[in-house]
Amino acid sequence: MKKPTLLILAAGMASRYGSMKQIDAFGPNGETIIDYSIYDAIRAGFGKVIFIIKEEFEENFKSIFEPKLKNKVKTDYVFQDFNLKKYDIEREVERAKPWGTAHAVLAAKDAINEPFCVINADDYYGYDSFKKMADFLTKEVSDNSFALMGFRADKTLSDYGSVSRGVCKVDDEGNMTEIVERTKVYFKDVDDEKKIFFEENDQEVELPLDARVSMNFWGFNPAIFNDTLDLFKKFVEENHTNPKAEFFIPLVADELIKENKATFKTIPTSEKWFGVTYKEDKPIVQESISKLIQEGVYPENLWK
């Protein structure tokens, strides 16, 4: 069986961060967050890394990652762009930004012929997540059985403000029945106890600490591309006049679940997530990586 592929979403504009956070340095020797994800993925058994980027980023990415990854893992690059004709969509649409994460995945349809997982470039997921996903992709994935890495809600929040999270409902068999995007999720001290709440219709709703949430870590096989393409064509037709409409992976997952076309196993992990949205997040990420190095999780020089 082929080793699974790691597909990294790295075409984002990073407008709130102010620069290309995908290739910003966080480790002691200039390591990016992507470096730690790739390092964990190789250890977990992944055989190839594909970067989804804007075409103008190509040389920059190659100059950073190719020297590190040579003879360690196969690499490839695909481009997320505005060309709809390559998807047999003739409609002309004016947009300032790409169509979203599911469209980014679709950009890799001609580059992948094996089971694969999708991650964000600017999120840290931990080795346990990659090992469990690799096991799923080598033993369980099928044309209608996919997976989502389910992080504990209390392991994914910031102490510095609210965040958006895809909150999963999971049945007794461990399969996701629904994923709902909550745009304002936060910690709150109640009677000297830290709890989690989200806001809905101007009301505070408590979320269990161990509720499973999505951090955009998905497991698929190539069958997902045909379903995604069909849904993308429909999405473009319905949203061609909305320049801000985005075609997200959870939208695809939710639609396939509702139509009984696929199941999504929610794989639990206790790894603590961290990532960057704002410049203010950088020292927190650097501190987290430094602690992992001190604990022996990673070597100080990752690729030496």
Side-chain angles (χ1 to χ4, degrees):
M1 179 178 288
K2 289 183 178 180
K3 289 185 175 183
T5 286
L6 177 64
L7 187 62
I8 302 177
L9 304 180
M13 304 292 282
S15 56
R16 287 178 290 182
Y17 191 70
S19 62
M20 285 181 62
K21 60 182 176 180
Q22 302 96 320
I23 54 176
D24 202 356
F26 294 92
N29 293 281
E31 292 91 350
T32 67
I33 292 179
I34 300 175
D35 281 307
Y36 292 95
S37 291
I38 295 173
Y39 183 86
D40 285 336
I42 293 172
R43 289 196 296 158
F46 284 78
K48 186 177 181 179
V49 174
I50 298 178
F51 298 90
I52 299 180
I53 58 176
K54 295 176 70 176
E55 189 168 4
E56 56 263 39
F57 293 173
E58 182 180 12
E59 291 308 313
N60 211 345
F61 266 73
K62 285 185 174 180
S63 67
I64 291 172
F65 292 104
E66 291 304 308
K68 301 173 183 177
L69 302 180
K70 186 178 180 181
N71 300 323
K72 294 183 177 68
V73 70
K74 296 177 182 177
T75 57
D76 198 2
Y77 300 81
V78 296
F79 308 129
Q80 184 180 14
D81 55 34
F82 298 99
N83 181 9
L84 296 178
K85 290 186 177 180
K86 63 184 178 183
Y87 305 114
D88 295 323
I89 300 173
E90 295 299 326
R91 185 176 289 281
E92 297 288 336
V93 181
E94 290 291 329
R95 288 181 66 88
K97 59 187 296 188
W99 285 90
T101 53
H103 172 242
V105 171
L106 198 56
K109 68 182 181 66
D110 295 328
I112 295 179
N113 298 296
E114 61 281 328
F116 66 100
C117 87
V118 180
I119 66 167
N120 290 335
D122 53 354
D123 289 322
Y124 172 85
Y125 298 103
Y127 172 75
D128 181 68
S129 304
F130 288 97
K131 185 65 175 75
K132 287 179 176 176
M133 183 59 79
D135 288 345
F136 174 84
L137 293 175
T138 53
K139 299 173 184 177
E140 299 181 54
V141 72
S142 72
D143 287 355
N144 57 11
S145 178
F146 307 130
L148 166 70
M149 191 56 59
F151 289 77
R152 283 179 55 112
D154 62 347
K155 299 278 191 176
T156 72
L157 300 189
S158 169
D159 289 321
Y160 300 93
S162 64
V163 295
S164 295
R165 292 290 178 260
V167 179
C168 305
K169 291 184 179 179
V170 182
D171 65 19
D172 293 338
E173 296 180 350
N175 292 322
M176 183 171 65
T177 60
E178 184 181 37
I179 181 167
V180 180
E181 187 72 14
R182 301 299 184 187
T183 57
K184 196 172 184 181
V185 187
Y186 49 87
F187 281 126
K188 183 177 180 180
D189 287 325
V190 179
D191 297 328
D192 295 325
E193 185 178 353
K194 183 176 281 190
K195 296 188 176 184
I196 300 175
F197 293 87
F198 65 85
E199 291 186 7
E200 183 178 33
N201 299 324
D202 296 324
Q203 298 290 320
E204 276 193 337
V205 181
E206 186 174 354
L207 188 68
L209 296 176
D210 62 352
R212 294 296 161 178
V213 300
S214 166
M215 298 307 302
N216 224 28
F217 193 132
W218 302 84
F220 300 113
N221 79 358
I224 194 66
F225 291 124
N226 287 335
D227 289 322
T228 302
L229 180 57
D230 290 342
L231 290 171
F232 182 55
K233 289 178 178 179
K234 179 182 176 183
F235 186 87
V236 171
E237 196 57 36
E238 292 175 350
N239 295 276
H240 65 275
T241 59
N242 181 359
K244 294 185 178 180
E246 292 192 67
F247 184 56
F248 294 123
I249 298 172
L251 186 154
V252 174
D254 221 30
E255 193 70 23
L256 294 181
I257 291 169
K258 288 175 181 176
E259 294 180 4
N260 293 316
K261 287 186 175 181
T263 59
F264 283 79
K265 181 179 180 180
T266 304
I267 304 172
T269 179
S270 59
E271 289 279 13
K272 181 172 176 56
W273 164 93
F274 54 81
V276 285
T277 301
Y278 305 98
K279 278 289 187 185
E280 291 77 9
D281 295 322
K282 184 169 182 175
I284 301 166
V285 172
Q286 290 174 316
E287 183 180 339
S288 298
I289 290 174
S290 178
K291 184 178 179 182
L292 289 168
I293 293 171
Q294 291 170 12
E295 293 171 351
V297 177
Y298 300 106
E300 185 167 356
N301 192 326
L302 201 60
W303 300 114
K304 187 174 181 180

